[in-house]
Amino acid sequence: MPTFLVTDVAATAHAAREKDATVEQPPSSMPGGPVRARIRDPHGRRFGLLAPPAQPAAG
């Protein structure tokens, strides 16, 4: 399954849903891990979205 690196998985999944795609696996992550989601486009093709883990706030 092809997977695309994006900066914001939730926003990209939302945009895909607005274009009639199905979010099969909503954005999720493990602590310190990347954010992932799985999408199925209107033609039935699946692809993944991936974003690096959020950086902790400096301070």
Side-chain angles (χ1 to χ4, degrees), residues 6-45:
V6 298
T7 56
D8 187 333
V9 171
T12 305
H14 179 77
R17 189 180 296 121
E18 288 183 337
K19 302 277 187 195
D20 296 326
T22 301
V23 178
E24 294 185 330
Q25 178 184 9
S28 64
S29 68
M30 298 296 288
V35 181
R36 300 174 183 263
R38 186 174 62 229
I39 310 295
R40 188 180 72 225
D41 75 15
H43 302 284
R45 295 176 288 238

